[in-house]
Amino acid sequence: MAQTQLLESDNLLGNLNSMLKCTDAEAMMNAAGTLCTMAETSEGRQWLLNDPHIEEIVGNVTDLLDSVHEWTASNAALVLARIAICGSGCRKLLEQGNARHTLSKLIAALGVDEAGCGMSAAFALGRLCDLDIGRKQILDMEEAPNMIMALEKMMANGDTGGSKNACFALSCLATDKDGHAYILMNSSFSEILNTLCILLESKEQESAWFAAMTLKVLGSHPKGVVKLREHPKISALLKTVACSPTAGKDLLEEVDFTLKKLQPLSKPSPPHVDILNINSIRITWSQLVLDSGLEVTYSLFDGDKPLYKGPDCSYVLTDVKLGKEYAFKLHVSTEGDDGLDSNVTTVTVEESVPSYPLDFRVIGCTPTQLKLAWAPPAEPNGIIKCYVVYRGDTVIESTSERSCIVSGLTPSKSYGFHVCACTSKGKGGKSFLAASTADPGDHAPSKLTLNVLGRNEMFITWDMPEVPLGRLFNFELCMNGKVVYLGPDRSFTARRLTANTEYTCTVSAITSEGKCESKPVMKKTAKDEYENTTRCLYSPARMSHPIASPSTKDVSELAERLRRSRTQPGIQKEHSPGKAPKAHQTLSKGNLKGIHKQCDSDVMSKTVTRYK
C-alpha cells in the first residue's frame, strides 16, 4: 500500500532527481538507492521510464558512476543495470542524447570492488550489447578494446559475481559476428580462453556454467571453432567435464554443444566411380556438413597423384588410358583440422563396342548416286577402327571416313541404308536411313529447243534446271555425241552443218554434285534443192575432164527450173515478161558458173525470207 502511494506521488521523481545533484553525499547515495528500489519491479521501471524527466535522471545517475563514495557509485550502476533489464529500458538508455557518455562511464566503472559497482556495470553493458544499435555504438567507441580487457580481468579476479557478469557481457557481445570477430582480434583473447579454462574447472557449478556458456558462444562461429581447437587445454577439459558425475544437467548441455562444434573430421567414405565412356570417368563423394560451420576442402588422389582440390563433390577425369588400373582416394580437411584419407576405390576401363553413329543423313543426291554422311557415336567405347555401310543387308563400304558415295543406283528409287562403327571389340549399333535418288529431269536443263536457220545453221536454246543440284558451273551442249559448246550461256548457234542432215542434241548441267543430261531433241537441217547440180559442177572428177556441151533437153529442163524458182515467194528480182531464157543457147563453162551462183542466191533468198 505504501509502495503504491509512493508510485502515485507526482513530486517524488522530481525530488529524487534534485537530490542526485545535491552536495550531500549521503543524500545522493540514498536518492540513487531509492531509484534502485523503484526499478527493481517491472511496474516501477515502467513508471520511471515514462517520466518526462527520465533523460535528465539518467544523466544525473551516470554522473554518479565515478563518485568517490563507492556505495553511491554502486547504487548508480545498479539503477542503470535494472533499467537495462527490459528492452524498452535499453532503448531509452541508447536513444538519449548523452548515450555515448553513459556507455563511456559504464566501461570506466568495470572492475572488482566491494560495493559491486563493476559487476552492475558489466551486467548493464551486456544487456546493451544485446541490441544491434547498442553493440554498434560500443564497438565504434575508442574505449571498446579497454572494455574487453577489463572484462577479462574481472573474470580472472576471483570474485564470483564479477566473473559471472563479465562472462555474461562477453557472451552477449560475441553473439553477433561483428562482436565475435572483435573479441577474437583483441590482444587479451588468449588470456580470456585461459581464464575460461580455470572457471570451467571451478567446483562452483554456476561459475563453471557461465564459463561453458561463454565457450559455447565463442565456438558458435567457424573462426571461433578454430581458435578453441588450437588451445591446448579446452577440448580435453570439456571432455573431462562431460564425463564428470558431479556436473549438472545445464552445465552438461553447454559442454556437449561445444564438443560437437569442436568435433574433428572423421574418416570419409571412399569415392564412388562411374565410367562415362571410353575416355572419361566421373568420381563423386558424399558432402560433409559440419556442426562447426567450417568449409570442408576435398582433395582427390589417384594413388599419390593429386587430381582435384576444392569444395565440390565430383570430378571428371578425362584422357583415360585403357587397361590402366586407377586407385582413387579422398582426403578431407578444414581450417585447423587436416583430416583423414578414405579407403581406396579401384577401377580399370576396358574397350567395348560403340553405340550407333549419330546424324546419319544424305548430303548429295544425283539420279544414280547418293552421298551419305554421319557423326561419331555418342559413346565410342574405344578407338573407332572403321565404319561399315550396308545397303539392305549387303555391305557396300568399309571406310575410316565419316562419309561415302553410293553409285550405280536407279533414278527416282528409294533405298535403305545402315551404318555402324567398329572397335577392336567388334561392331556397334546400327543407324538406319531411307533415301531416294533424284529424278534426272528435275536436275537437267529444261526446254531444249532447236531452230533451223537453213542448210548449215541451227540456233539452240535451253532453260535453267528446275531443281539445280549443287553449285552450277557450266552447260555442255552435244550434237550427235560430240561436244560443240561448254560455257555458262543458255544459247548457241551451230554453224557449218550439213544440209538435209538430222542432228540429235543434248545439253548437260555441270554442277558441284555431278553432271545431269537433258532428254535428246532431234532436228534436221534444210534440204539443198540443187544438191545434185552443185555436186556435178563441183565434182573433182568432172573438174579434171573437159565439160561436154549439154543437150537441148538438158537446157530446157534447167530453164524451166529457173523459171519456177523465180516465181516462188522471197525472190527479190523478177525478169520482165517475154524474156524467157532461150532453149537453144549453148552453155559455156563460164555460163554454168553464173547459173550456179544465181541458183544459190535464189535459194538463200528463199531461206532468209522463211526465217525473217
Side-chain angles (χ1 to χ4, degrees), residues 453-456 499-500 525-534 561-562 564-573 594-612:
L453 300 182
R455 296 171 300 163
N456 308 109
N500 198 30
T525 53
K527 183 178 180 181
D528 189 349
E529 296 184 13
Y530 302 101
E531 182 179 356
N532 294 332
T533 302
T534 304
R561 288 174 63 186
L562 288 172
R564 286 199 303 270
S565 67
R566 291 193 181 104
T567 62
Q568 295 299 321
I571 302 298
Q572 300 297 321
K573 183 177 179 181
I595 293 171
H596 179 64
K597 290 181 180 180
Q598 180 65 43
C599 290
D600 284 347
S601 175
D602 291 345
V603 173
M604 287 302 296
S605 176
K606 289 166 67 179
T607 303
V608 171
T609 301
R610 187 177 301 124
Y611 294 102
K612 189 173 180 180

Side-chain angles (χ1 to χ4, degrees), residues 23 54 106 271 292 343 455 552 592:
T23 57
I54 182 61
L106 285 171
S292 63
N343 291 334
R455 296 171 300 163
T552 303
L592 283 172

Side-chain angles (χ1 to χ4, degrees), residues 182-476:
Y182 199 89
I183 294 173
L184 264 60
M185 291 187 298
N186 191 271
S187 60
S188 63
F189 181 71
S190 60
E191 293 300 323
I192 291 174
L193 294 184
N194 291 335
T195 302
L196 290 173
C197 288
I198 294 172
L199 294 175
L200 191 62
E201 294 180 288
S202 173
K203 294 181 180 181
E204 206 269 313
Q205 287 281 302
E206 275 200 355
S207 295
W209 181 89
F210 271 98
M213 180 268 296
T214 306
L215 287 172
K216 180 185 76 172
V217 175
L218 291 175
S220 62
H221 295 277
K223 292 293 184 181
V225 171
V226 175
K227 293 292 186 181
L228 296 184
R229 281 178 177 171
E230 292 174 350
H231 194 276
K233 294 179 63 176
I234 288 178
S235 295
L237 278 175
L238 289 171
K239 292 177 181 178
T240 300
V241 174
C243 298
S244 173
T246 60
K249 178 181 177 182
D250 293 340
L251 175 58
L252 290 177
E253 287 180 356
E254 303 296 321
V255 169
D256 289 342
F257 183 89
T258 307
L259 282 174
K260 288 181 180 179
K261 291 285 186 178
L262 303 184
Q263 185 72 29
L265 287 167
S266 58
K267 184 177 180 179
S269 301
H272 179 74
V273 175
D274 291 307
I275 299 175
L276 299 180
N277 51 55
I278 200 69
N279 297 315
S280 57
I281 300 173
R282 181 172 58 206
I283 307 101
T284 59
W285 50 88
S286 301
Q287 182 181 13
L288 296 179
V289 180
L290 306 179
D291 290 330
S292 63
L294 288 167
E295 184 175 316
V296 179
T297 298
Y298 303 96
S299 300
L300 180 67
F301 293 85
D302 171 26
D304 294 327
K305 178 184 177 181
L307 299 177
Y308 169 79
K309 184 176 182 179
D312 296 334
C313 293
S314 65
Y315 175 76
V316 176
L317 177 65
T318 57
D319 297 328
V320 172
K321 295 181 180 179
L322 297 177
K324 175 188 173 182
E325 183 180 78
Y326 290 89
F328 299 114
K329 67 179 179 181
L330 183 68
H331 179 83
V332 293
S333 61
T334 64
E335 186 179 357
D337 186 355
D338 192 40
L340 300 170
D341 291 341
S342 71
N343 291 334
V344 174
T345 300
T346 59
V347 64
T348 302
V349 180
E350 298 288 349
E351 192 172 86
S352 63
V353 296
S355 60
Y356 57 87
L358 302 175
D359 196 21
F360 193 21
R361 65 199 185 279
V362 176
I363 61 172
C365 176
T366 70
T368 59
Q369 289 183 334
L370 290 171
K371 188 172 184 180
L372 311 178
W374 54 88
E379 299 177 357
N381 297 329
I383 300 174
I384 301 297
K385 301 292 185 181
C386 65
Y387 294 94
V388 179
V389 183
Y390 298 80
R391 187 173 76 195
D393 296 327
T394 304
V395 176
I396 59 173
E397 184 80 31
S398 179
T399 176
S400 59
E401 304 294 329
R402 293 201 296 270
S403 65
C404 74
I405 296 176
V406 185
S407 303
L409 305 178
T410 304
S412 302
K413 184 176 179 180
S414 180
Y415 294 89
F417 300 95
H418 292 85
V419 64
C420 68
C422 302
T423 65
S424 60
K425 292 293 184 178
K427 297 177 181 179
K430 293 180 179 179
S431 295
F432 174 75
L433 174 67
S436 300
T437 51
D439 183 349
D442 294 340
H443 305 312
S446 61
K447 298 182 181 179
L448 177 61
T449 305
L450 279 60
N451 297 302
V452 176
L453 300 182
R455 296 171 300 163
N456 308 109
E457 292 186 5
M458 281 188 186
F459 182 62
I460 306 164
T461 63
W462 58 89
D463 286 348
M464 291 287 292
E466 295 180 8
V467 185
L469 183 64
R471 182 183 176 188
L472 180 63
F473 298 130
N474 284 310
F475 294 104
E476 181 185 85

Side-chain angles (χ1 to χ4, degrees), residues 529-574:
E529 296 184 13
Y530 302 101
E531 182 179 356
N532 294 332
T533 302
T534 304
R535 185 180 300 115
C536 291
L537 293 178
Y538 286 89
S539 171
R542 291 179 180 273
M543 291 297 292
S544 62
H545 299 86
I547 299 175
S549 299
S551 64
T552 303
K553 183 178 179 181
D554 293 334
V555 173
S556 298
E557 289 177 356
L558 179 61
E560 181 62 20
R561 288 174 63 186
L562 288 172
R563 185 188 67 76
R564 286 199 303 270
S565 67
R566 291 193 181 104
T567 62
Q568 295 299 321
I571 302 298
Q572 300 297 321
K573 183 177 179 181
E574 296 183 0

Side-chain angles (χ1 to χ4, degrees), residues 450-517:
L450 279 60
N451 297 302
V452 176
L453 300 182
R455 296 171 300 163
N456 308 109
E457 292 186 5
M458 281 188 186
F459 182 62
I460 306 164
T461 63
W462 58 89
D463 286 348
M464 291 287 292
E466 295 180 8
V467 185
L469 183 64
R471 182 183 176 188
L472 180 63
F473 298 130
N474 284 310
F475 294 104
E476 181 185 85
L477 176 64
C478 292
M479 298 184 73
N480 290 347
K482 294 183 178 181
V483 178
V484 297
Y485 171 74
L486 179 66
D489 297 335
R490 287 183 283 148
S491 64
F492 178 74
T493 301
R495 296 183 173 88
R496 298 180 183 179
L497 305 179
T498 304
N500 198 30
T501 301
E502 193 171 71
Y503 287 91
T504 301
C505 296
T506 60
V507 64
S508 301
I510 300 176
T511 71
S512 58
E513 298 298 330
K515 182 176 176 182
C516 296
E517 185 178 79

